[in-house]
């Protein structure tokens, strides 16, 4: 059980035993310093709404969940899904349809679950179709890309009145407005997370209002990040990485590669579905642009820039790229985004966060000791 | 009601569109293993160049179209040197930093998709910044033929002819010329080709240039019939992709066959149920084809041939 060499073997304290579940060869950040920094970052996010635009940051955090879902599917299992937005969008639309039809707290709670299940189920269907059919490598990417375009084409033409599910009209290009506010709970025991700010007063800073939705998303994001860290560092996570590195060899060792890919793809779809639910709930609106090619590519951009083999990279890059994209609203925004993407892929193929981490480890340990210990990548890894 | 002649013309139209959209992409993907998501923007460059050559410089249409192909081909070579192989930046960095800064995108399928998508963002937005949301269009040549209640642009029939001509030229180039032999040797086995004295680096550059020129020519050919806006490449990208993967490894035959099959599906469903359903039918057909023929139509043919040889 001495996976964590820094603490291995000794009679370990509770924090370090707790920590060891989240540490391993598949993630970066094992030192005490990292966890202190992590806690500081979460704390900074927690007090951020007092100073900045929390509602915007909550959107970025919702999208970071989508980035995480791609990171686990692509970065850890080697399946480049260009269709994470399909599951994102299906989650969002499912949430919209169910919550419009059952606009009670219980109904909306069920709608959240339905959205997550919808995302996971659609991923399971597509994944079963592909992986059990022997579709591999770049063809998986192209099938997911085509699925995105199918969804975009299909949802864009649902404008007519015949395209309604119960009370909910799908609305074609105009999308689906009037999604009820996110209220979780059953019957009288419920709480509305959207547009229900509660006032706070902190000595020295003053009075301000904070959004419960922001904290809901923050908790979900931190929880998902830690959960996925535990997953990728577990035995199952090691099989996922083995599949990424060499499918045939993993198969030869007796692992069911097809099932691993199917399960991870489904999990990624459910996570993308959750992200979609929160996206629709935050905007109280959803339209087919979530299936557009540009939106479909955004998760790939985030994960590539941040470092696809790094969960932290996916989160950091999503927040950073989306912040840049929104704040450079001018004509040059897309040119800069494209340049950033191009330069990152060409110059830092492993991504920004792993590169930064390498720099930090390098300077701390000296060049001789660094490297090797972190990620067990084959040097000539094929990235599809 | 389905009208036979109308359906046939629509089939020719879909066939030409799919083949022309896919040809350049098929060459770059089939030969170099690079997925060029900026393919639509290469088409955009060809279309804009041809249109501007007519409206600004007053060149005759046919010359302008060739210029469109040529300019896009040169742009393709530039792209290959700077981004795909990184040869030029690495040449500079070798002399200043003493090391390569760019890892070539060959054999990095996913990375090639992501990088070329970055290029596509830059080109689309660059075109919008430079030329605005649309530019003046050139008139459709040749007028229309009509029969009964239908009338049909004869230019579209010309396009079908041109698409077949381009396939034949490509087939000739890759099977009957020295360049083609070297290019195919490079795909088959890069190291052996190198050992036999083929400059594989140059082969890649020229192949990318040729594929780009085809994309540019496609744009130039369609310039009179589609609206000139910075996003015009998007409408080609999907059909091109689908055709390439449904076609399979053999570039020319695969493109022709998938153009035929997908064109028939697109024409039939569009004719019966409208363009939206036609497009969805095309995409669904592609999904099903990929599921059952993961190596495309030509991969399937190859497999059949092998099986027959084994049983003999």
């Amino acid at each position: 059980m001495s996976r964590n060499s820094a603490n291995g073997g000794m009679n370990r304290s509770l924090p370090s035993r707790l920590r060891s579940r989240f540490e391993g060869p598949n993630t970066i950040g094992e030192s005490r310093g990292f966890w202190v920094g992590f806690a500081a970052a979460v704390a900074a996010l927690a007090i951020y709404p007092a100073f900045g635009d929390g509602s915007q940051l909550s959107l970025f955090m919702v999208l970071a969940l989508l980035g995480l879902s791609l990171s686990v599917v692509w970065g850890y299992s080697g399946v480049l899904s260009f269709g994470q937005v399909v599951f994102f969008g299906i989650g969002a639309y499912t949430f919209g349809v169910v919550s419009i039809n059952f606009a009670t707290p219980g109904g909306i709670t069920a709608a959240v679950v339905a959205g997550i299940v919808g995302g996971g189920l659609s991923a399971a269907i597509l994944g079963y179709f592909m992986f059990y059919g022997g579709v591999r490598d770049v063809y998986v990417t192209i099938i997911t890309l085509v699925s995105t375009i199918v969804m975009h084409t299909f949802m864009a033409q649902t404008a007519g009145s015949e395209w309604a599910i119960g009370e909910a009209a799908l609305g074609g290009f105009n999308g689906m407005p009037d999604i009820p506010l996110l209220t979780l709970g059953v019957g009288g025991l419920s709480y509305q997370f959207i547009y229900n700010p509660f006032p706070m007063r902190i000595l020295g800073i003053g009075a301000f209002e904070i959004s419960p939705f922001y904290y809901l998303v923050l908790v979900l994001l931190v929880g998902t990040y830690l959960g996925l860290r535990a997953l990728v560092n577990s035995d199952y996570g090691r099989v996922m990485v083995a599949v990424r590195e060499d499918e045939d060899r993993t198969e030869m060792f007796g692992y069911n590669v097809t099932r691993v890919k199917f399960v991870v793809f489904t999990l990624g779809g459910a996570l993308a579905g959750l992200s979609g639910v929160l996206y629709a709930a935050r905007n109280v609106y959803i339209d087919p642009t979530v299936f557009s090619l540009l939106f479909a590519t955004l998760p790939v951009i985030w994960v590539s820039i941040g470092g696809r083999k790094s969960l932290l990279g996916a989160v950091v890059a999503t927040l950073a790229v989306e912040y840049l994209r929104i704040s450079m609203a001018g004509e040059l925004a897309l040119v800069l985004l494209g340049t950033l993407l191009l330069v990152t892929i060409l110059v830092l193929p492993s991504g920004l966060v792993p590169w930064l981490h390498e720099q930090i480890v390098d300077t701390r340990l000296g060049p001789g000791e660094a490297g090797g210990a972190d990620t067990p990548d084959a040097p000539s890894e094929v990235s599809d | 009601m389905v009208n036979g002649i109308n359906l046939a013309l629509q089939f020719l139209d879909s066939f030409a569109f799919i083949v022309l959209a896919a040809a350049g992409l098929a060459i770059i993907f089939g030969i170099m293993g690079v997925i060029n998501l900026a393919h639509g923007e290469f088409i955009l460059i060809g279309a804009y160049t041809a249109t501007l050559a007519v409206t600004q410089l007053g060149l005759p249409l046919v010359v302008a179209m060739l210029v469109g192909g040529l300019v896009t081909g040169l742009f393709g070579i530039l792209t290959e040197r700077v981004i795909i192989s990184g040869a030029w930046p690495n040449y500079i960095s070798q002399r200043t930093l003493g090391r390569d800064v760019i890892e070539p995108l060959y054999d990095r399928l996913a990375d090639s998709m992501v990088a070329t998508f970055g290029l596509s963002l830059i080109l689309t937005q660059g075109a919008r910044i430079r030329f605005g949301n649309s530019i003046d269009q050139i008139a459709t040549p040749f007028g229309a033929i009509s029969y009964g209640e239908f009338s049909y642009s004869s230019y579209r029939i010309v396009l079908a002819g041109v698409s077949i001509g381009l396939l034949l030229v490509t087939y000739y180039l890759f099977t009957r010329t020295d360049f083609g032999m070297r290019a195919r040797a490079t795909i088959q086995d890069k190291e052996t080709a190198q050992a036999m004295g083929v400059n594989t680096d140059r082969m890649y550059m020229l192949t990318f240039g040729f594929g780009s020129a085809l994309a540019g020519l496609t744009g130039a050919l369609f310039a009179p019939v589609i609206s000139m806006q910075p996003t015009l490449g998007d409408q080609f990208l999907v059909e091109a992709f689908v055709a390439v993967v449904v076609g399979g490894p053999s570039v020319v035959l695969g493109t022709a066959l998938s153009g035929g099959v997908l064109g028939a599906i697109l024409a039939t469903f569009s004719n019966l149920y409208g363009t939206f359903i036609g497009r969805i039918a095309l995409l669904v057909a592609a999904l099903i084809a990929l599921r059952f023929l993961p190596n495309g139509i030509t991969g399937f043919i190859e497999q059949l041939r092998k099986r027959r040889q084994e049983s003999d």
Side-chain angles (χ1 to χ4, degrees):
Chain A
M1 282 307 287
S2 60
R3 206 181 300 153
N4 180 4
S5 57
N7 300 312
M10 303 296 179
N11 47 351
R12 298 178 299 170
S13 59
L14 181 68
S16 73
R17 255 185 301 160
L18 206 64
R19 243 174 64 183
S20 72
R21 293 221 67 90
F22 301 112
E23 293 179 347
N26 296 328
T27 46
I28 55 175
E30 310 212 312
S31 60
R32 184 185 296 265
F34 170 82
W35 289 108
V36 171
F38 179 75
V42 173
L45 283 175
I47 60 167
Y48 176 79
F51 308 100
D53 186 354
S55 96
Q56 201 177 57
L57 190 58
S58 74
L59 174 65
F60 301 161
M61 292 196 295
V62 167
L63 295 174
L65 284 170
L66 179 60
L68 277 177
S69 81
L70 182 65
S71 176
V72 76
V73 171
W74 180 24
Y76 286 89
S77 312
V79 176
L80 172 50
S81 160
F82 237 98
Q84 286 308 96
V85 294
V86 170
F87 319 128
F88 178 88
I90 288 178
Y93 269 100
T94 310
F95 170 74
V97 168
V98 176
S99 64
I100 286 175
N101 281 302
F102 306 97
T104 59
I108 295 170
T109 310
V112 172
V113 176
I116 299 168
V117 171
L121 198 64
S122 48
I125 293 168
L126 189 64
Y128 182 82
F129 180 79
M130 294 190 303
F131 301 131
Y132 284 90
V135 179
R136 282 178 68 164
D137 304 336
V138 72
Y139 295 99
V140 170
T141 306
I142 290 170
I143 287 189
T144 51
L145 183 67
V146 172
S147 314
T148 312
I149 298 158
V150 171
M151 284 307 292
H152 189 245
T153 314
F154 178 74
M155 290 314 294
Q157 58 92 48
T158 56
S161 53
E162 72 272 26
W163 293 104
I165 302 172
E167 301 279 299
L170 295 178
F173 264 123
N174 296 323
M176 197 158 62
D178 307 325
I179 293 177
L181 301 177
L182 183 65
T183 311
L184 296 180
V186 180
L189 215 111
S190 68
Y191 187 78
Q192 183 199 310
F193 282 89
I194 294 271
Y195 301 133
N196 192 19
F198 45 79
M200 285 277 287
R201 179 176 291 277
I202 293 181
L203 283 176
I205 297 173
F208 53 91
E209 289 179 335
I210 57 177
S211 149
F213 181 75
Y214 180 89
Y215 290 97
L216 176 71
V217 176
L218 181 61
V219 166
L220 285 173
L221 180 62
V222 172
T224 308
Y225 170 70
L226 290 176
L228 288 179
R229 257 191 95 125
L231 173 71
V232 299
N233 287 318
S234 69
D235 290 344
Y236 200 82
R238 269 181 273 205
V239 179
M240 283 160 51
V241 171
V243 171
R244 174 188 81 193
E245 295 296 324
D246 193 327
E247 258 181 58
D248 296 328
R249 200 175 295 173
T250 314
E251 186 115 54
M252 210 82 89
F253 277 126
Y255 292 102
N256 189 339
V257 169
T258 308
R259 195 172 63 204
V260 171
K261 289 198 285 189
F262 171 73
V263 168
V264 175
F265 196 73
T266 307
L267 174 78
L271 192 52
L274 169 68
S275 176
V277 166
L278 294 168
Y279 182 83
R282 180 191 172 280
N283 297 345
V284 287
Y285 170 73
I286 187 74
D287 72 6
T289 51
V290 295
F291 296 118
S292 67
L293 201 57
L294 177 65
F295 196 74
T297 321
L298 283 176
V300 182
I301 294 181
W302 304 328
V303 171
S304 300
I305 289 182
R308 79 179 67 121
K309 293 167 195 165
S310 159
L311 295 170
L312 189 64
V315 176
V316 170
T318 308
L319 301 183
V321 171
E322 284 307 291
Y323 177 77
L324 278 176
R325 207 165 70 87
I326 302 290
S327 55
M328 308 182 298
E331 281 196 312
L332 280 172
L334 286 179
V335 175
L336 289 174
L337 190 65
T339 313
L340 184 68
L341 184 62
L342 201 53
V343 170
T344 317
I345 287 291
L346 291 176
V347 180
L348 297 175
S350 62
L352 211 54
V353 167
W355 178 78
L356 272 176
H357 177 251
E358 213 171 90
Q359 302 304 307
I360 294 169
V361 172
D362 257 354
T363 45
R364 203 173 51 208
L365 296 179
E369 295 164 79
D374 261 319
T375 39
D377 300 337
S380 60
E381 192 249 334
V382 182
S383 60
D384 48 316
Chain B
M1 204 196 79
V2 179
N3 178 305
I5 301 169
N6 196 25
L7 188 65
L9 287 174
Q10 213 158 36
F11 167 71
L12 274 185
D13 193 25
S14 308
F15 175 79
F17 183 78
I18 291 172
V19 165
L20 287 172
L25 190 74
I27 285 170
I28 293 172
F29 175 53
I31 294 183
M32 311 175 68
V34 167
I35 295 190
N36 182 17
L37 272 187
H39 180 69
E41 282 61 42
F42 283 36
I43 291 176
L44 170 81
I45 293 176
Y48 267 41
T49 309
T51 306
L52 292 171
V54 170
T55 55
Q56 307 288 317
L57 303 177
L59 291 180
L61 186 61
V62 176
V63 178
M65 283 174 173
L66 292 176
V67 169
L70 190 69
V71 167
T72 317
L74 291 175
F75 184 79
I77 289 179
L78 180 73
T79 306
E80 201 275 345
R81 290 287 92 180
V82 175
I83 295 171
I84 312 288
S85 72
W88 289 355
N90 283 346
Y91 179 85
I92 296 169
S93 73
Q94 279 288 0
R95 271 147 196 79
T96 51
L97 301 171
R99 63 182 174 87
D100 285 355
V101 285
I102 289 181
E103 215 180 292
L105 289 170
Y106 298 120
D107 298 325
R108 290 165 66 199
L109 272 175
D111 288 352
S112 73
M113 273 177 110
V114 178
T116 50
F117 184 78
L119 180 66
S120 119
L121 281 181
I122 297 171
L123 291 175
T124 312
Q125 193 63 17
R128 182 171 289 130
I129 291 170
R130 175 69 184 76
F131 298 107
N133 276 325
S134 66
I135 60 171
D136 287 340
Q137 201 167 350
I138 36 184
T140 311
F142 303 134
I145 46 169
S146 51
Y147 56 95
E149 54 185 311
F150 297 102
S151 93
Y152 203 79
S153 160
S154 35
Y155 183 65
R156 291 188 165 266
I157 298 171
V158 173
L159 281 183
V162 170
S163 71
I164 294 169
L166 273 181
L167 280 177
L168 290 177
V169 168
T170 311
Y171 182 77
Y172 181 82
L173 187 69
F174 278 99
T175 54
R176 299 280 186 275
T177 64
D178 235 29
F179 165 79
M181 197 181 65
R182 284 164 208 261
R184 284 184 301 138
T186 308
I187 327 166
Q188 290 253 315
D189 189 336
K190 194 179 154 194
E191 273 74 28
T192 311
Q194 266 167 349
M196 302 294 278
V198 175
N199 185 345
T200 52
D201 202 41
R202 209 169 116 221
M203 274 353 280
Y204 277 153
M205 183 180 90
L206 292 177
T207 313
F208 201 91
F210 180 67
S212 310
L214 279 184
L217 199 56
T218 302
L221 285 167
F222 277 97
V225 289
I226 51 175
S227 63
M228 290 287 106
Q229 53 195 27
T231 52
L232 71 87
D234 291 357
Q235 49 194 311
F236 290 89
L237 188 67
V238 176
E239 270 80 359
F241 252 102
V242 165
V244 169
V245 293
V246 169
S250 166
V251 173
V252 176
L253 186 65
T255 311
L257 285 175
S258 63
V261 172
L262 296 172
I265 291 170
L266 184 61
T268 312
F269 278 86
S270 302
N271 212 323
L272 287 173
Y273 307 106
T275 42
F276 252 127
I277 302 293
R279 210 171 140 81
I280 287 182
L282 175 84
L283 296 169
V284 170
L287 286 178
I288 293 170
L290 280 176
R291 162 69 176 75
F292 292 105
L293 310 172
N295 288 316
I297 301 175
T298 52
F300 179 66
I301 293 173
E302 194 64 29
Q303 207 180 324
L304 281 185
R305 195 189 290 165
K306 236 178 227 162
R307 210 174 291 160
R308 197 172 302 156
Q309 273 169 357
E310 275 163 19
S311 65
D312 279 348

